């Protein structure tokens, strides 16, 4: 079973309580951005994945967590996790966050080198940046990004998009 929304801690987020009342919750909240609220558990014999409600967070958590799980449950044994490629940051950002971050990025080429830069607004409530992006740039926890820093890039083509 797969759902979206209602897994956080707001007054209208009832999924966590419902799953706990009907079954068991094995995982709630993960240390990634966007996508901290995520639920995983069972209702009887049926696995349950509760994705966040914000569209940018749904995109990241589905692609990085739910999709590999669903592929594995369908019998696929290899290629569950996407390949990651080194690219250079084409931007700087002093802000450090405690969670691993997945930025929706576009690539450009400068003097034969691929540079990744955030595509539009990175808010978890904004999905339009995914339309302008070519993939996800992974920023490790507590990392300030410096222009030219090598980071991992996951092309959307690796994710079946």
């Amino acid at each position: 079973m797969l759902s979206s929304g209602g897994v956080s801690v707001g007054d209208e987020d009832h999924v966590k309580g419902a799953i706990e009342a009907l079954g068991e919750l094995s995982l709630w909240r993960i240390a990634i951005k966007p996508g901290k609220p995520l639920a995983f558990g069972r209702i009887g014999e049926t696995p349950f994945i509760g994705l966040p409600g914000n569209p940018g967070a749904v995109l990241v958590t589905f692609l990085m967590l739910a999709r590999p799980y669903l592929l594995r449950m369908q019998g696929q044994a290899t290629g569950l996790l996407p390949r990651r490629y080194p690219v250079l940051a084409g931007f700087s950002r002093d802000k450090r966050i405690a969670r691993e971050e997945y930025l929706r990025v576009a690539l450009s080429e400068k003097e034969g080198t691929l540079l990744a830069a955030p595509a539009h607004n990175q808010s978890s409530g904004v999905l339009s940046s995914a339309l302008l992006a070519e993939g996800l740039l992974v920023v490790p926890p507590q990392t300030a990004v410096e222009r030219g820093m090598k980071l991992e890039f996951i092309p959307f083509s690796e994710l079946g998009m």
Side-chain angles (χ1 to χ4, degrees), residues 65-137:
L65 300 164
R67 182 180 182 272
Y69 175 80
L70 293 171
L71 290 172
R72 182 67 185 110
M73 296 310 296
Q74 293 173 27
Q76 186 170 327
T78 61
L80 300 175
L81 298 176
R83 287 181 283 190
R84 297 173 179 218
Y85 302 92
V87 298
L88 300 181
F91 66 102
S92 294
R93 187 186 73 186
D94 293 333
K95 182 179 180 182
R96 298 171 190 256
I97 66 165
R99 299 178 279 161
E100 182 171 76
E101 187 171 17
Y102 292 83
L103 299 174
R104 299 168 298 273
V105 296
L107 299 177
S108 63
E109 186 178 340
K110 185 175 182 181
E111 299 173 9
T113 301
L114 280 179
L115 300 172
H120 192 49
N121 186 332
Q122 294 293 308
S123 168
S124 63
V126 174
L127 191 56
S128 60
S129 55
L131 296 172
L132 303 170
E134 294 165 71
L136 301 170
L137 188 68

Side-chain angles (χ1 to χ4, degrees), residues 134-149:
E134 294 165 71
L136 301 170
L137 188 68
V138 183
V139 180
Q142 301 298 341
T143 302
V145 178
E146 298 175 18
R147 180 178 290 278
M149 172 186 258

Side-chain angles (χ1 to χ4, degrees), residues 10-27:
D11 290 341
E12 297 302 321
D13 292 319
H14 304 292
V15 173
K16 179 180 182 276
I19 297 303
E20 290 173 328
L22 298 171
E24 66 177 287
L25 197 58
S26 305
L27 172 72

